[in-house]
Amino acid sequence: MKRIAILGSTGSIGVQALDVIKANPESFELEVITAHSNADLLVQQALEFKPNVVVIAREDLYEQVQQALQHEDIKVYAGSKALCSVVEMGTVDMVLTAMVGYAGLLPTIHAIKAGKQIALANKETLVVAGQLITSLAKEHGVNIYPVDSEHSAIFQCLAGEFHNPIEKIILTASGGPFRGRTAAELAEVTKAQALKHPNWDMGAKITIDSASLMNKGLEVIEAKWLFGLRNEQIEVVVHPQSIIHSLVQFEDGSIKAQLGLPDMKLPIQYALGYPNRLKSDFPRFSFLDYPQLTFEQPDLKTFRNLQLAFDAMERGGNMPCILNAANEVAVSAFLHDEVGFLQMSDIIESCMAKVAYIANPSYEDYVTTDEEARRLAAELINK
Ligand code: NDP
Ligand code: MG
């Protein structure tokens, strides 16, 4: 029995993780669930799954959640500090980080320091502070199991191969809803169009990141830290069908790939259940339904965010942190109709040029970098 804490149980990954836990009652026990604003769903999940602890990050919603659960044997906490303390509880074995954005960083640090195994969906954590997180994990003997489908694919390809050096990895990208568009066309795209991903149903922020290819950029940096790779060992190929989830090439030239229908439940279950493959009734993939699997180069000139992410990785230090903060602000502004699709890249590029560079950032440096980049990005938007 693995005792699980889900940070962000009300989100796209969180809800699917609860389905996985429900389908495998002999393997998992749900200990903690947390949400930010969606108190109604959090309460509904608590009543159904009976975890021992729930946390609502927004303190103004504490009363509502507490009232609704007052007759249950469930502890209710509120505030972002509570997120950091519940992951340290002795009754938790593994923490699934399914919160979105930079807010996932601090609770993940607390979980690692408490020696909890991590199932990592929150890629922003590794983008912002990959060096810090991976060295902390090493120090505390913590394994980080990827939930992101591409990284899960690579991790699955590495099973039995951990002693064999990787020559390179190839991350596949669907290309998103705007694959093949020109910059002039991208200038006109709407929020509604950007929110319609061809293959995956996900939270709003990652869906916009997928449309701009920033998601792939974040994943390149995520892969660098997860698998200890040099920058030049990471390639991206566009594969619109999203069937091959990623590939690893070894030093003998052999390439391994992991395939399946685009469904996040499988990588979630693999991370939670590792090292076991649990039986599932997820829909099965058939080659006959996909007679053509195709591949093309990503268009880095039109989709500038992917190039900016490669640049940030190349420069290292706090540059990916700047990229991430500016992107979070830009995506939120795009979702509020305050900037156009292409302006998101302008904002990120300006922040990367203007926020002070730090080659070897401490945790405090990440906090100030994040603040500074957010402030500058907001200023640029208001102009
Ligand atoms: P969603 O937006 O659907 O869900 C985000 C979750 O985080 C919600 O539970 C939300 O609570 C909570 N949350 C948001 N902000 C805060 C905050 N400041 N403090 C505490 N909790 C917060 O996101 P997704 O599930 O799509 O994505 C989650 C993470 O997983 C992201 O990092 C994403 O990149 C990654 N990922 C997602 C994939 C997917 O298929 N969705 C695939 C691969 C990776 P509430 O709902 O109450 O506001
Ligand atoms: Mg992914």
Side-chain angles (χ1 to χ4, degrees):
M1 268 293 196
K2 247 184 232 174
R3 298 165 299 175
I4 312 282
I6 304 181
L7 299 180
S9 63
T10 50
S12 159
I13 293 288
V15 165
Q16 295 180 82
L18 287 176
D19 286 343
V20 165
I21 288 175
K22 191 167 158 178
N24 295 283
E26 64 300 322
S27 302
F28 307 117
E29 213 172 275
L30 187 65
E31 207 39 53
V32 178
I33 53 175
T34 82
H36 182 255
S37 328
N38 196 343
D40 291 340
L41 182 55
L42 183 68
V43 165
Q44 194 186 313
Q45 291 176 339
L47 291 173
E48 180 180 353
F49 287 89
K50 313 273 186 208
N52 286 320
V53 173
V54 310
V55 179
I56 182 85
R58 262 180 54 188
E59 299 191 28
D60 58 311
L61 296 172
Y62 173 77
E63 288 297 325
Q64 184 189 334
V65 177
Q66 164 67 27
Q67 288 261 311
L69 297 177
Q70 60 182 329
H71 301 302
E72 304 295 321
D73 189 14
I74 299 175
K75 290 191 199 72
V76 179
Y77 302 110
S80 45
K81 279 203 183 117
L83 295 173
C84 295
S85 40
V86 295
V87 296
E88 296 172 343
M89 296 188 323
T91 49
V92 170
D93 300 314
M94 180 180 248
V95 177
L96 170 62
T97 68
M99 292 162 62
V100 63
Y102 175 86
L105 174 62
L106 193 55
T108 307
I109 291 177
H110 278 262
I112 294 173
K113 285 186 173 169
K116 309 303 181 187
Q117 299 307 303
I118 304 289
L120 184 124
N122 180 259
K123 63 190 85 185
E124 293 91 345
T125 289
L126 279 182
V127 172
V128 169
Q131 176 100 59
L132 175 74
I133 291 290
T134 48
S135 60
L136 274 178
K138 206 167 166 196
E139 183 186 332
H140 293 274
V142 162
N143 293 322
I144 300 179
Y145 301 103
V147 169
D148 215 346
S149 57
E150 295 77 0
H151 307 74
S152 176
I154 291 162
F155 186 55
Q156 292 181 54
C157 293
L158 290 176
E161 305 266 14
F162 289 107
H163 59 290
N164 286 323
I166 295 172
E167 190 163 281
K168 69 174 185 186
I169 65 163
I170 304 164
L171 293 175
T172 53
S174 71
F178 305 136
R179 184 173 59 89
R181 303 270 180 113
T182 63
E185 288 167 335
L186 285 185
E188 306 296 326
V189 300
T190 66
K191 173 174 86 180
Q193 291 168 327
L195 282 170
K196 273 209 191 89
H197 195 280
N199 302 342
W200 299 95
D201 182 12
M202 312 177 284
K205 192 252 174 187
I206 184 174
T207 305
I208 301 302
D209 283 346
S210 299
S212 71
L213 292 203
M214 180 55 94
N215 183 50
K216 209 49 53 182
L218 300 179
E219 290 182 354
V220 165
I221 302 172
E222 180 186 15
K224 171 190 171 79
W225 294 112
L226 273 174
F227 304 112
L229 300 171
R230 296 187 310 279
N231 299 347
E232 63 276 14
Q233 288 177 294
I234 310 170
E235 279 181 20
V236 172
V237 67
V238 174
H239 165 46
Q241 297 80 22
S242 298
I243 294 299
I244 299 183
H245 295 307
S246 280
L247 313 93
V248 182
Q249 182 172 317
F250 295 95
E251 289 191 323
D252 60 357
S254 177
I255 295 181
K256 280 167 99 175
Q258 187 260 340
L259 286 71
L261 290 170
D263 179 348
M264 283 308 295
K265 277 189 197 155
L266 194 131
I268 292 169
Q269 178 168 297
Y270 190 74
L272 296 184
Y274 188 85
N276 301 315
R277 286 192 183 273
L278 306 174
K279 234 180 155 145
S280 88
D281 58 3
F282 308 149
R284 268 36 179 178
F285 163 73
S286 160
F287 276 107
L288 302 180
D289 296 333
Y290 290 83
Q292 278 203 316
L293 298 180
T294 61
F295 305 91
E296 53 197 71
Q297 286 279 8
D299 178 354
L300 296 176
K301 289 215 167 69
T302 309
F303 293 86
R304 284 161 55 212
N305 280 1
L306 179 54
Q307 182 62 55
L308 288 169
F310 274 116
D311 295 347
M313 176 169 75
E314 206 56 54
R315 296 184 60 192
N318 64 342
M319 202 48 78
C321 176
I322 300 171
L323 171 97
N324 179 71
N327 181 57
E328 286 191 25
V329 175
V331 169
S332 164
F334 178 72
L335 286 170
H336 288 94
D337 298 311
E338 291 162 6
V339 298
F341 193 79
L342 291 181
Q343 278 169 291
M344 292 194 286
S345 309
D346 298 335
I347 292 164
I348 298 161
E349 193 171 18
S350 292
C351 289
M352 285 171 63
K354 288 184 186 144
V355 175
Y357 176 72
I358 304 170
N360 290 302
S362 64
Y363 173 72
E364 289 70 28
D365 291 330
Y366 288 125
V367 174
T368 43
T369 299
D370 179 76
E371 281 169 5
E372 205 184 322
R374 278 171 201 274
R375 190 159 20 81
L376 181 60
E379 235 175 78
L380 292 166
I381 290 162
N382 289 332
K383 268 187 199 163

